[in-house]
């Protein structure tokens, strides 16, 4: 079965600093999803990547899927307190329309 | 905007009670899912449904059942609540065709005493 490993497990950064979160799969990714979760709330969909080498951006968050489609990174530029939360990656174990497999999340804290 | 709603944000029930968690989506998605989220264990799939009246077991179905009588509504039932079912429950929906973007509801924090 497919497993997703996220690193780091937690991260504390100073406001204004850049950071990167990684998501590594044990198998080829057919689709890779990034979510953000505030404490005690649901998951907010950020981005979905499907093609090797694909890169998407939303505001100050950029996600990339490597060419081999086994690793994705989420990069936040000039972090702000509003970026704090848990970031989770999810993956399609097959070519669509099957339940996603999730990593255990990366907890991000942004300090002033 | 896709909207997935859950009937309660917080719920407190007693051991042995029958508990219903409701989930409704407004995007005509074919697929719906129930997860529970626990510290250190991440998201675990309980049940999912590809279509009305269809259901499939996920990774941890024991102690739960589901119902999907209408496309937009997916209910999770705890037949006899136990303290080890205290958790955050998250519903999600997803279309049956590309792009397969999956959206989550706000979650229900269930405490069983």
């Amino acid at each position: 079965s497919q497993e997703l490993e996220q690193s780091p497990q937690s991260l504390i950064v100073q406001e204004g600093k850049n950071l990167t979160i990684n998501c590594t799969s044990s198998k080829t990714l057919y689709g890779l999803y990034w979510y953000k979760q505030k404490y005690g709330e649901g998951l907010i969909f950020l981005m979905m990547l499907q093609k090797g080498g694909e890169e998407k951006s939303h505001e100050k968050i950029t996600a990339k899927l490597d060419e081999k489609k086994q690793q994705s990174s989420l990069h936040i530029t000039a972090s702000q307190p509003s970026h704090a939360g848990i970031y989770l990656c999810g993956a399609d174990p097959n070519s669509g329309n099957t339940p996603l497999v999730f990593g255990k999340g990366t907890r991000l804290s942004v300090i002033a | 905007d896709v909207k997935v709603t859950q009937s309660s944000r917080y719920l407190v029930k007693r051991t042995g009670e029958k508990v219903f968690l409701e989930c409704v989506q407004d995007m005509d998605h074919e697929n719906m899912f129930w997860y529970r989220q626990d510290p250190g264990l991440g998201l675990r799939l309980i049940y999912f449904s590809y279509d009305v009246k269809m259901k499939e077991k996920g990774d941890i179905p024991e102690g739960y059942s589901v119902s999907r009588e209408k496309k937009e509504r997916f209910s999770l039932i705890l037949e006899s609540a136990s303290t080890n079912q205290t958790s955050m429950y998250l519903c999600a929906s997803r279309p049956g065709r590309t792009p397969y973007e999956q959206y989550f509801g706000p979650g229900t924090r269930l405490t069983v005493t």
Side-chain angles (χ1 to χ4, degrees):
Chain A
S1 62
Q2 186 161 30
E3 293 185 358
L4 295 178
E5 181 134 356
Q6 286 187 238
S7 62
Q9 290 185 340
S10 64
L11 195 54
I12 301 173
V13 299
Q14 203 159 19
E15 185 176 354
K17 296 294 186 185
N18 303 336
L19 64 106
T20 299
I21 297 168
N22 293 303
C23 177
T24 303
S25 172
S26 56
K27 297 182 179 181
T28 300
L29 295 161
Y30 286 94
L32 191 287
Y33 302 70
W34 282 102
Y35 293 88
K36 179 187 174 185
Q37 185 179 31
K38 289 281 193 183
Y39 179 75
E41 298 181 8
L43 279 67
I44 305 299
F45 175 79
L46 295 175
M47 279 171 275
M48 174 182 146
L49 305 165
Q50 285 187 296
K51 300 175 184 175
E54 188 175 7
E55 180 175 321
K56 286 187 178 178
S57 292
H58 176 67
E59 298 179 345
K60 294 185 178 181
I61 301 176
T62 301
K64 300 179 186 179
L65 183 60
D66 74 345
E67 289 288 344
K68 292 183 179 179
K69 294 174 66 176
Q70 283 198 265
Q71 187 167 36
S72 177
S73 60
L74 186 84
H75 184 77
I76 298 177
T77 304
S79 58
Q80 299 168 355
S82 60
H83 288 128
I86 300 171
Y87 290 83
L88 292 99
C89 63
D92 269 318
N94 297 301
S95 52
N97 212 25
T98 50
L100 300 183
V101 173
F102 287 90
K104 292 192 175 176
T106 294
R107 184 180 293 274
L108 171 65
S109 301
V110 181
I111 55 175
Chain B
D1 275 357
V2 175
K3 199 164 186 182
V4 181
T5 57
Q6 295 184 228
S7 49
S8 305
R9 291 298 306 273
Y10 301 95
L11 210 51
V12 180
K13 295 292 181 180
R14 293 194 180 276
T15 302
E17 278 193 84
K18 192 168 186 175
V19 182
F20 294 87
L21 302 182
E22 304 284 340
C23 175
V24 177
Q25 51 96 1
D26 67 357
M27 280 300 292
D28 201 36
H29 285 170
E30 289 80 4
N31 302 315
M32 296 188 74
F33 308 86
W34 275 107
Y35 296 86
R36 63 178 283 177
Q37 186 180 32
D38 301 286
L41 297 176
L43 280 165
R44 292 182 291 169
L45 182 65
I46 305 171
Y47 266 99
F48 60 103
S49 169
Y50 288 127
D51 202 347
V52 176
K53 296 194 185 294
M54 294 183 68
K55 59 186 179 184
E56 299 281 346
K57 292 180 180 179
D59 300 319
I60 51 163
E62 296 79 19
Y64 304 93
S65 61
V66 290
S67 171
R68 194 167 180 201
E69 296 296 318
K70 293 185 178 182
K71 191 175 185 180
E72 67 271 17
R73 188 180 297 269
F74 192 34
S75 302
L76 179 69
I77 303 152
L78 286 66
E79 297 291 343
S80 176
S82 64
T83 53
N84 63 13
Q85 292 180 310
T86 291
S87 186
M88 173 69 131
Y89 289 88
L90 292 159
C91 175
S93 75
R94 192 179 187 200
R97 59 204 173 281
T98 189
Y100 298 105
E101 294 178 356
Q102 180 161 313
Y103 295 90
F104 282 82
T108 296
R109 171 74 62 182
L110 172 67
T111 302
V112 182
T113 61

